[in-house]
Amino acid sequence: MLNTVALAAAGASGALWVLWGRAPDRRRSAAATPRWPWGLALGSALAAGVIAGRTAGVVAGTVVAICSWCAAAVPTSRRRVHAAESAAQFAAILANQAQVSRTVVDALETAAPLATGPMARAAANLVSECRSVGVETAAGNFAATAETPAAEWLADVVAVAAASGGQWAPILGVLEAEAAETAATTRRFHRQVAANLPQLALATALGAAVVVGAAISNPDAWAWLTGPQGESVSIAAAVLALVICARPLSAAWEALR
């Protein structure tokens, strides 16, 4: 049993390193890194461990962890899509206003009420702070709270334009195109990657359910599954599932974070 537990710990550590060790060191918003899958996996592992033993706890925790992180990726990706689309829309509005407004503040004051989605409140705060603390400071605060690269680029353009007083409409035209491309890339990622992760969770859960259901229906199979050999095979299968699922989840969460 001790060898089996050691194997499980080593495999889980390796899988988690693959899942999180390659993530780039960048600013992460709290919304982009949910913590509830960890708590759900730990709680299910403890409950299964108390009810049916340590092996069941390891297996249950692994299955729930995979399913939870797959499920968490979907709403996180959806929020990212909404933020990117909102930033692209605000960039387009501001680019139009920059061509007819005399100052940066005038353009922001006209464009901010037209913003929608997650960017609406951020744009309103940006205009409010421009009046109180100045454009450059307000742009810095806007960039610090931005959840998309387009919003950070927009803050840089606003700060530079306010400091130099030069023509900023052509730069905003380029920024508008970049923001639109970022939003399109985010939509493709959600449609082709994040929206399909629940299938990985379903396959993991169904695999575990089939094994347990078949063992329950056959007393001999249940005796083998709960015996030393069955426990070793169960933990090895759980570690293998974690290692296999770590790669696609790693790629998905690197993109989301």
Side-chain angles (χ1 to χ4, degrees):
M1 176 61 71
L2 292 178
N3 292 335
T4 303
V5 174
L7 175 63
S13 300
L16 291 175
W17 178 86
V18 172
L19 181 58
W20 299 107
R22 296 173 60 246
D25 185 14
R26 65 183 68 167
R27 183 173 67 248
R28 300 179 176 92
S29 65
T33 54
R35 297 290 186 261
W36 62 265
W38 292 111
L40 185 59
L42 180 59
S44 63
L46 291 176
V50 171
I51 296 172
R54 288 178 294 180
T55 301
V58 172
V59 175
T62 300
V63 173
V64 173
I66 293 172
C67 294
S68 299
W69 281 108
C70 289
V74 178
T76 302
S77 178
R78 189 177 294 113
R79 286 193 300 268
R80 187 169 174 262
V81 170
H82 291 165
E85 291 178 342
S86 180
Q89 185 240 15
F90 182 60
I93 295 173
L94 192 58
N96 291 332
Q97 293 300 322
Q99 298 177 1
V100 297
S101 299
R102 293 181 302 174
T103 65
V104 173
V105 176
D106 290 341
L108 289 173
E109 289 180 343
T110 305
L114 303 177
T116 61
M119 193 57 60
R121 184 173 182 177
N125 291 337
L126 174 61
V127 173
S128 177
E129 291 184 352
C130 283
R131 302 190 188 103
S132 59
V133 299
V135 177
E136 294 183 47
T137 303
N141 295 336
F142 180 79
T145 58
E147 295 184 2
T148 64
E152 296 179 6
W153 303 335
L154 182 61
D156 292 338
V157 172
V158 168
V160 172
S164 63
Q167 293 292 327
W168 64 314
I171 301 177
L172 277 178
V174 176
L175 176 59
E176 177 186 0
E178 291 292 334
E181 179 61 27
T182 300
T185 302
T186 306
R187 285 192 297 269
R188 286 194 298 269
F189 173 84
H190 179 77
R191 183 174 60 253
Q192 298 176 5
V193 179
N196 294 321
L197 285 178
Q199 299 179 13
L200 180 62
L202 181 61
T204 303
L206 283 179
V210 167
V211 172
V212 174
I216 292 176
S217 63
N218 190 320
D220 293 336
W222 179 257
W224 179 85
L225 185 64
T226 56
Q229 292 183 345
E231 289 182 345
S232 299
V233 172
S234 297
I235 293 183
V239 172
L240 180 61
L242 192 60
V243 171
I244 292 174
C245 294
R247 280 295 179 180
L249 285 177
S250 173
W253 280 99
E254 280 185 12
L256 289 176
R257 299 190 302 171

